[in-house]
Amino acid sequence: MRKVTLLVSTILFILTVYASGWKDSTSPDKWNSFSGDKKIEQRVDSLLRLMTLEEKIGQMTQFSANWSITGPVMSDDFKPYLDKGLIGSIFNATSVEGIRRIQQIAVDSTRLGIPILFGQDVIHGYKTIFPIPLAEACSWDLALMQRTAEIAAIEAASDGINWTFAPMVDIGRDARWGRVMEGAGEDPYLGNRVAEARVIGFQGGRGGASLGALHTLLACGKHLAAYGAAESGRDYNTAELSEHTLRNIYLPPYRAALEAGVGTFMASFNEINGVPATADRWLMTEILRDEWGFKGFVVSDYTGINELVPHGVAEDEQHAAELAVNAGIEMDMTGATFIKYLTQSVEECRVSEETIDNATRRILEMKFLLGLIDDPYRYLDEVRAKENTMTPAFMETARKAVSSSVVLLKNEENILPIRKEKAITVALVGPLMNDSINLNGEWAGLGDRNKSVSILEGLTEKYKDSGVNLLYAEGSAISETSPAKIAEAISAARSADIVIAAVGESFHWSGEAAVRTDIRLPEAQRQLLEALKETGKPVVLINLSGRPLDLSWEDEQMAAILQAWFPGTQAGYGIADVIAGDVNPSARLVMSFPRNIGQLPIYYNRKNTGRPVDLTDETIDYKSNYLDASITPLYPFGYGLSYTTYAISDLRLDKSSMKAIDDKITVTATVHNSGAVDGEMVVQLYIRDLVGSVTRPVKELKGFQKIALKAGEVRQVTFDLRSKELAFYGIDMKKKTEPGNFRLWVAQHSDDNENEATFAVE
Ligand code: BGC
């Protein structure tokens, strides 16, 4: 009998729902949506009208699936909410089968049957793992970055995921902060371009227009804002910075993500100038929505709302939920504060129902756009998942991404490449030589670390049937070694002509909550390198790390250094391509490498100060210098070598001045591949605004081009430097281009001053 009653009431309910029109509505309500699609707006509103206050708040609630280690078992924390239709989104649920099980409960067993939006941290690949984002940014190859994001989206969407918590677009100026690995480095101009490329890649095009296509993911720009400005690089720490620095350096990449059409943002954990981002109405509403016009939704970071209590701005979790929702946070990630407290807060008039309605609308709209409301199971197809996972084409892109991301920092006497034709013996040593686990980095998603190609495998494959004979001895683990281990490595080195040492960090040492105060190689590995050096054999260092390390000693002692970051699934093949010279390295640093930890934070676009250091004599007293080190980095932003040489000349500007509004100067320069090997070069355009209403950086990147040049080839490059690119937030906190004199460089890296010109803005 109960079953019959249930059936009848379900049928009646479905009829009511259809009659009210939310499956296909013609409701006339006006609403400012992300898509601007009137039909969707009407459908969202029709659905909203059917919802209780609690159900609306349920849509604003997200839980992590917390799968048990043995399989998809739902956590007790969220199951009761799921059963009542009080969850809008779940993340960390994996596999088509697991996701289907959750979706079935949401769709079949709840009053309104609103499907769940499935999220996941798809950061640098889903199953096919690409180099960490910091590494990939070093390729300066935007098409490549867009493509790897597309592939990640194809794989994840085929597995039932709808939403990635990426790209992370936080500027990183401090290598102690472990999350620099997830971003695009220290520069806002490059950061903007990379943010756009990744959003377009994940969402299948600009403006979110392709959302809902089965190969796309909803993207999430994170972490708004200035998460990377954490004092002393300590994760989650206070960011204390001027509004000028916030607006001129940290905010631009979030804005660029927005302009590329990102559908969601994630709030950052940190406070900025005394206000935690999660409770910051100025940031989340006045800047993000009123000033920038964002129309998607904002999710808090993991328990970020609950953390307003220890931050000391909320009395308790209810107060925290109210602060967050009133600031402009639409979804609570895992904290359960919204679902526990907001109904009461609305009843007691501390949160308006309109705020809840608008938040719910924004979330529902994404579900409509992704096609989930019309077909909750449309992404779930085991065959498609299988066909779209780790395909040969994806592997090929991953391999290219590796060889495009490794930065050649030093190459004494052209010891690299070691071409196959050479008849030599090479000793392969180091803790990361025969490793496939660490090479994927901390955010390797659902990638199977065991499927990654180690450097040993890559080199063995590369040099099989060649003149190059390989020996292997580990020599040291990541943090410890023994005299016997070192002795083995020494013996291999003595029998070889060249040593290649793969050293670096454990993958846990970067990523979230992975801050280091000593960014040198661990003691054990340094001992190994010292012992190898004593053999007198040249050592080629492959450094694998999630951040710039202090490689000062290595720079003095090693014959060559290849910064390979954490390269992912195809690590060994991609690195072997570079070592053997089948690929000429073309990557350029996107973060400065310090000479020592005391220099941090260090970045090329620093201010001059009133007592600038004379770089030709840094010992002059009472200047903004150090007593015991240079102020310059070991390797600057934009730097990287290749197996050929390049020369830039004939810098010309088509005019010597331009107007502040709607004008441009065309800059040309000649680039020559002056060596004997074909290669790709990143030509970089920098400017310096000499006098501003507020102080300006000593250099700012304003353009770049990655061009392929055959050995001996000469090519002219052209940049259109537009007046609007020179705009910044000045003394009145308005963004504009100020008249005055400028310097300009077309350069190979940020410390290359050879080709300089001047111009004026009238
Ligand atoms: C991180 C976010 C991430 C979230 C979900 C948080 O701890 O800060 O970047 O997206 O967890 O995994």
Side-chain angles (χ1 to χ4, degrees), residues 91-92 121 123 165 179 182 222-223 227 236 266 269 301-302 333 443 512:
F91 69 109
N92 287 342
D121 287 289
I123 309 290
F165 306 133
R179 298 200 82 168
E182 290 170 63
K222 71 187 190 185
H223 307 82
Y227 183 31
Y236 319 123
M266 187 184 292
F269 287 123
D301 201 348
Y302 210 104
M333 182 188 277
W443 285 104
E512 189 174 348

Side-chain angles (χ1 to χ4, degrees), residues 131-145 148 396-408 562-565 567 570-571 573-575 577-578 583-590 641 680 682 706:
I132 57 171
L134 183 65
E136 235 186 38
C138 291
S139 73
W140 298 60
D141 184 340
L142 299 172
L144 176 74
M145 289 180 248
T148 61
E396 205 177 298
T397 305
R399 182 172 182 157
K400 176 168 191 269
V402 177
S403 59
S404 304
S405 306
V406 296
V407 190
L408 183 63
L562 203 56
Q563 174 62 34
W565 312 105
Q570 291 284 293
Y573 292 144
I575 290 175
D577 287 342
V578 171
V583 173
N584 188 355
S586 61
R588 301 289 182 268
L589 294 180
V590 296
L641 302 171
E680 280 182 286
V682 182
K706 188 162 190 178

Side-chain angles (χ1 to χ4, degrees), residues 68 88 139 166 204 224 335 339 356 387 400 429 477 495 506 635 686 695:
S68 78
S139 73
L224 192 68
I339 196 65
I356 302 292
E387 283 171 1
K400 176 168 191 269
V429 301
S495 322
S506 148
Y635 306 117
Y686 294 92
T695 58

Side-chain angles (χ1 to χ4, degrees), residues 652-659 663-666 758-760:
R652 292 211 179 118
L653 276 52
D654 71 335
K655 51 191 191 204
S656 58
S657 68
M658 66 171 145
K659 293 193 286 292
D663 205 354
K664 65 169 187 186
I665 286 182
T666 302
T758 56
F759 68 93

Side-chain angles (χ1 to χ4, degrees), residues 26-53:
T26 49
S27 150
D29 277 6
K30 213 173 153 283
W31 170 53
N32 201 7
S33 64
F34 176 81
S35 60
D37 180 331
K38 294 288 160 232
K39 190 144 196 238
I40 289 198
E41 288 173 19
Q42 287 165 0
R43 296 185 72 193
V44 166
D45 271 340
S46 304
L47 176 51
L48 194 79
R49 278 198 292 275
L50 298 173
M51 297 171 77
T52 63
L53 178 60

